[in-house]
Amino acid sequence: MVQDKQKELDFFNHYAKSQEYNVFTDASNYRLIKTCVAISNWEPGTRVVDCGCGSGVFTKLLKDFGFAAAGLDLSEGLIDLAGRLYPGIEFMVGDVEQLPFESNGLDGILLSGIIHHLPDPSHCAREVYRVLKPGGTFVAFDPNRRNPFMWLYRDKDSPFYSSEGVTENERPVIAAEVAKTFAQAGFSVSTSYLSGLHYRYIASPRMRVLLPIYNLLDDLLFRLPLLKPFSAFVLTRGVK
């Protein structure tokens, strides 16, 4: 299967006309990127590209953490928006399956919630491997299909699946499958999990009223070590 890129472009270019694409609270954005930085081996000052950067929220945080950060996204609309919001940062239109970088040139890559948009992430894995320097690292975060809330709301096999606010390409990931794909591309891969990221907004009006309850349960339940693999988000780290 291949990603329907036109579906992605139509969805995100339309979104860029109305508002910033920023679904988490500011505190959760910070916590997510702090966690990604903590599990990476990126040195301050090195070049890290935020792939799937959207409107640039995470790219800006990477810069605040001391990296020479740049953002890349398939959506020209979101890249234009990111450039207006954060004029001091380099943003570019590009495809994670055909990265516009020389081989062995980047220190780090952040895959910002992008793997779950790819029906077959092996093309992305090979491209990320190609452009990273030996010893370079990528970190990815994606919704976890084993999380009961993510499965019920966002997996097409669920009887309660909602397509509001997502593209047809999206599906939460299985951690072991992502790890296997990137290991086959040549990476040394490790997996961790993260919950307690609070949403500020979801598309479905019916589910929006339940958002405070979800935020509370997600924060409390998955602190237990036994439940960690069922956390809302999978974090994948790979070293070339």
Side-chain angles (χ1 to χ4, degrees), residues 12 21 24 32-33 36 42 49-54 56-59 62 70-73 96 109-117 138-143 233:
F12 286 106
Y21 194 72
F24 298 122
L32 174 57
I33 298 307
C36 290
W42 304 329
V49 176
D50 176 15
C51 294
C53 68
V57 175
F58 298 136
T59 321
L62 287 173
L72 175 143
D73 200 278
V96 74
I109 287 179
L110 177 67
L111 296 174
S112 287
I114 200 169
I115 295 174
H116 75 284
H117 285 256
F138 82 87
V139 177
F141 60 87
D142 291 277
F233 286 87

Side-chain angles (χ1 to χ4, degrees), residues 36 54-55 103 128 136 146 154 157 239:
C36 290
S55 57
S103 298
V128 171
R146 296 183 71 191
R154 286 307 192 200
D157 289 342
V239 182

Side-chain angles (χ1 to χ4, degrees), residues 3 5 96-97 114-121 124 169-170:
Q3 184 190 52
K5 298 191 185 299
V96 74
E97 295 183 312
I114 200 169
I115 295 174
H116 75 284
H117 285 256
L118 302 169
D120 177 6
C124 167
N169 294 306
E170 295 183 53

Side-chain angles (χ1 to χ4, degrees), residues 27-40 42 65 110 139-141 192-195 197 235 237:
S28 292
N29 286 333
Y30 180 85
R31 180 171 174 241
L32 174 57
I33 298 307
K34 183 179 180 181
T35 303
C36 290
V37 168
I39 65 174
S40 74
W42 304 329
F65 273 98
L110 177 67
V139 177
F141 60 87
S192 54
Y193 301 91
L194 185 64
S195 272
L197 299 179
L235 274 64
R237 172 182 180 266

Side-chain angles (χ1 to χ4, degrees), residues 36-37 39-42 48-49 51 96 99 106-112 114-115 121 124-129 131-133 135-142 178-183 185-191 234-240:
C36 290
V37 168
I39 65 174
S40 74
N41 63 352
W42 304 329
V48 178
V49 176
C51 294
V96 74
L99 289 169
L106 297 180
D107 301 295
I109 287 179
L110 177 67
L111 296 174
S112 287
I114 200 169
I115 295 174
C124 167
R126 290 192 293 268
E127 274 294 273
V128 171
Y129 189 87
V131 302
L132 282 173
K133 296 177 181 177
T137 303
F138 82 87
V139 177
F141 60 87
D142 291 277
V178 175
K180 180 180 179 181
T181 297
F182 280 82
F187 287 100
S188 175
V189 181
S190 59
T191 300
V234 173
L235 274 64
T236 308
R237 172 182 180 266
V239 182
K240 179 174 177 177

Side-chain angles (χ1 to χ4, degrees), residues 145 150-159 161 171-172:
R145 199 183 306 169
M150 287 292 181
W151 184 83
L152 285 169
Y153 185 48
R154 286 307 192 200
D155 194 272
K156 293 179 181 179
D157 289 342
S158 165
Y161 169 70
R171 189 182 186 188

